[in-house]
Amino acid sequence: MKPDNIIFVKHGNKYSAEHVNRLRDQLMEYYKCAYVCYTDDPIGVEIECIPCFEKPTLNLWWNKLAMFSKDFPVKGKCLYFDLDMDIKSNPSDFIKDFEGLTIINAYWKRDKFMRKHAYDVRINSSIIAWTAGEQDYIWKHFLTNKDYFMRKYKGIDRFLVHENIHHKIFNDGIVNSVANPYGEQTPIDMYNGINYDLQRTFVS
Amino acid sequence: MTYKELLYRNSLEAIRRIYEHSKYDEETDLYRINDIINSLNENQFASKEWLVQKLTPFIPEELENVCILGGWYGLLACMISQEVPDETRIHSVDIDPTTRMVGQALLKDIAYVEFKIESLEDWYYGRPKYYDLIINTSCEHMEPEEVRLMANYKKEEAICCFQGNNYHEIQSHINTHNSLDEFADSLGLKEILLKESMPAANGEYDRYMVIGK
């Protein structure tokens, strides 16, 4: 099963239009579908841009949660990628399920000690699969107390887990965390926000 | 005991109760402990004491109703209550439903404050002419146009006191300003009675305050 939409989120100045265009180029090899970018700055972005909602204003990664709103203007099966991903080969064998919410297993945290009140998590939302509109309750829940959630959780991964949002995980082997190597060939390298300017594999 | 000593005593008791509750309830929100401590930290006291000191000369003699928007656990409401007649109604408004329970525990034996749980916009626009004094120390968390509307949609003689800052680095800050004048201009008040800035105790940002009509 293939996605109908591949979605990127670019907010602030950590990532540029180049990151969006590069990732689109890499994914185009494997996915012929709609590509959209949810952004506060469409300049230079070569795919369709969806402007960030006027309200509420959110900063950086918190904007990812807007993708789950029923007002987010896409339909069908959705696949999201963080912009610091490097596509090395076809990831389709790992991404087949668009029912519910599917995210990455953070294998590199498997043995990490974490008390519950650390609010750390063993998942990672750098890749997300879902069906448009069906996860609207996540967005609604966030809006009930967003300032408290943004103080309590360092990012949306923690929000999803500790607010008991039901989710599934992709099979291991879909990604290799560059900082914590998986040990086997994976179709995607992820940089977890670090060294995102490193030389990447470009599709010719 | 001073109000401050009572506040610290009550906050320690509130924290102890959360800890006790957590022993047998996995869902107890332990982050509240951190949040309560942060709500009473040096920066919070400094900015609120500054506000009260500067605002007091402008408090109307016929003060009946005070609205504190984004009142959190009621620190500012507590301080304001020390400066106004006992019969003054003080509403501390916050969307976070837990602020009422925690706020009431913190203010026990100090002040009577009504904690209203609603979005600031919904609460305020439901009764804009009710208040003689409107205080908003959370402008950085609110949409700029909402802040401007609140500052102007009120009784003509009502005083408003709004605080903002230039702390751009905080993720939840969506309405920061680069200078005191920029912040004052953003409010669009008819008359500005006072505008001042104060560096935060940690030196990381400046807090701005504007009092006006």
Side-chain angles (χ1 to χ4, degrees):
Chain A
M1 195 178 280
K2 294 273 188 179
D4 300 304
N5 312 278
I6 288 182
I7 303 171
F8 309 122
V9 174
K10 182 175 84 71
H11 187 273
N13 54 18
K14 183 165 186 178
Y15 298 101
S16 69
E18 289 302 306
H19 289 91
V20 175
N21 300 337
R22 173 193 55 80
L23 195 54
R24 184 273 320 264
D25 288 346
Q26 292 183 335
L27 287 162
M28 279 281 278
E29 180 123 338
Y30 313 111
Y31 294 109
K32 308 297 180 205
C33 65
Y35 286 78
V36 297
C37 181
Y38 183 68
T39 183
D40 60 336
D41 178 13
I43 294 172
V45 177
E46 294 168 354
I47 58 176
E48 181 192 346
C49 288
I50 298 171
C52 288
F53 292 165
E54 282 186 19
K55 288 182 190 176
T57 304
L58 295 171
N59 285 327
L60 305 174
W61 47 80
W62 293 104
N63 283 287
K64 284 163 71 171
L65 293 174
M67 298 188 300
F68 303 131
S69 166
K70 64 176 171 42
D71 297 324
F72 196 81
V74 297
K75 287 181 178 171
K77 299 182 287 294
C78 299
L79 184 56
Y80 163 83
F81 289 90
D82 271 358
L83 292 174
D84 59 346
M85 313 291 270
D86 193 13
I87 312 299
K88 320 276 281 190
S89 60
N90 190 348
S92 296
D93 285 348
F94 292 91
I95 304 170
K96 293 175 175 172
D97 183 3
F98 294 87
E99 293 291 318
L101 185 78
T102 309
I103 43 191
I104 294 174
N105 176 31
Y107 65 83
W108 57 93
K109 289 186 178 177
R110 196 163 33 216
D111 299 322
K112 184 180 182 182
F113 173 75
M114 46 180 84
R115 287 198 193 277
K116 190 177 178 188
H117 64 270
Y119 300 111
D120 205 344
V121 288
R122 293 186 173 86
I123 58 102
N124 181 283
S125 61
S126 293
I127 303 175
I128 313 173
W130 75 105
T131 299
E134 291 185 0
Q135 302 297 319
D136 183 52
Y137 75 101
I138 299 173
W139 177 241
K140 281 187 177 151
H141 179 61
F142 175 67
L143 295 184
T144 61
N145 205 357
K146 67 180 169 59
D147 285 313
Y148 183 68
F149 293 141
M150 287 191 286
R151 289 200 302 275
K152 182 175 179 180
Y153 304 120
K154 284 183 181 166
I156 77 163
D157 300 353
R158 294 175 182 213
F159 168 78
L160 293 172
V161 170
H162 292 287
E163 291 304 311
N164 300 316
I165 304 298
H166 182 70
H167 60 272
K168 299 178 275 188
I169 53 173
F170 295 113
N171 286 338
D172 278 357
I174 183 173
V175 294
N176 168 57
S177 166
V178 171
N180 308 275
Y182 182 66
E184 294 173 29
Q185 285 283 345
T186 68
I188 301 170
D189 274 352
M190 58 184 291
Y191 285 75
N192 286 340
I194 57 159
N195 299 331
Y196 62 90
D197 278 334
L198 287 177
Q199 190 64 44
R200 305 289 177 78
T201 311
F202 281 81
V203 177
S204 56
Chain B
M1 279 179 131
T2 65
Y3 87 87
K4 207 183 258 191
E5 288 168 335
L6 284 167
L7 201 51
Y8 283 130
R9 182 200 69 181
N10 291 344
S11 62
L12 289 174
E13 173 59 16
I15 287 167
R16 188 192 66 78
R17 270 199 250 160
I18 294 171
Y19 172 74
E20 288 295 329
H21 200 257
S22 74
K23 288 179 179 175
Y24 300 103
D25 181 357
E26 202 180 357
E27 297 306 313
T28 300
D29 182 3
L30 288 174
Y31 182 79
R32 284 288 168 190
I33 292 175
N34 198 46
D35 212 40
I36 291 169
I37 292 168
N38 285 337
S39 78
L40 299 173
N41 70 20
E42 188 183 8
N43 272 339
Q44 293 296 331
F45 266 103
S47 67
K48 266 80 181 173
E49 283 172 344
W50 176 51
L51 183 150
V52 171
Q53 183 202 353
K54 297 295 178 181
L55 177 63
T56 302
F58 299 104
I59 293 179
E61 282 186 19
E62 301 294 315
L63 183 69
E64 291 183 3
N65 300 300
V66 178
C67 182
I68 299 173
L69 297 160
W72 210 358
Y73 301 124
L75 173 61
L76 181 58
C78 175
M79 290 178 169
I80 291 287
S81 75
Q82 310 299 305
E83 306 294 327
V84 300
D86 287 347
E87 58 273 21
T88 305
R89 284 185 91 171
I90 301 176
H91 290 168
S92 184
V93 189
D94 204 293
I95 196 172
D96 180 350
T98 308
T99 54
R100 175 184 283 146
M101 191 178 67
V102 173
Q104 286 171 344
L106 263 54
L107 270 53
K108 185 179 167 223
D109 300 331
I110 309 173
Y112 178 69
V113 169
E114 295 177 51
F115 288 90
K116 304 296 182 184
I117 307 302
E118 202 163 331
S119 84
L120 308 188
E121 298 86 350
D122 289 349
W123 177 264
Y124 186 73
Y125 297 145
R127 45 193 71 69
K129 309 287 183 184
Y130 182 71
Y131 295 107
D132 310 298
L133 175 61
I134 303 120
I135 303 173
N136 185 347
T137 60
S138 305
C139 294
E140 63 272 20
H141 293 277
M142 297 175 61
E143 305 288 343
E145 59 271 30
E146 298 288 359
V147 173
R148 188 183 178 92
L149 198 54
M150 284 176 175
N152 290 279
Y153 192 38
K154 61 180 181 56
K155 280 197 285 204
E156 197 168 332
E157 67 276 19
I159 298 288
C160 60
C161 176
F162 282 21
Q163 285 190 346
N165 62 43
N166 61 352
Y167 206 177
H168 310 297
E169 291 77 16
I170 302 295
Q171 287 166 34
S172 59
H173 287 183
I174 57 169
N175 181 24
T176 50
H177 298 273
N178 294 309
S179 69
L180 173 63
D181 286 339
E182 186 186 297
F183 175 57
D185 290 346
S186 76
L187 300 174
L189 289 164
K190 287 190 188 121
E191 183 183 356
I192 290 180
L193 303 169
L194 177 143
K195 59 177 178 179
E196 281 191 15
S197 68
M198 184 183 80
N202 61 12
E204 290 179 359
Y205 64 97
D206 294 319
R207 183 157 277 278
Y208 307 134
M209 179 161 62
V210 173
I211 299 172
K213 285 187 178 175

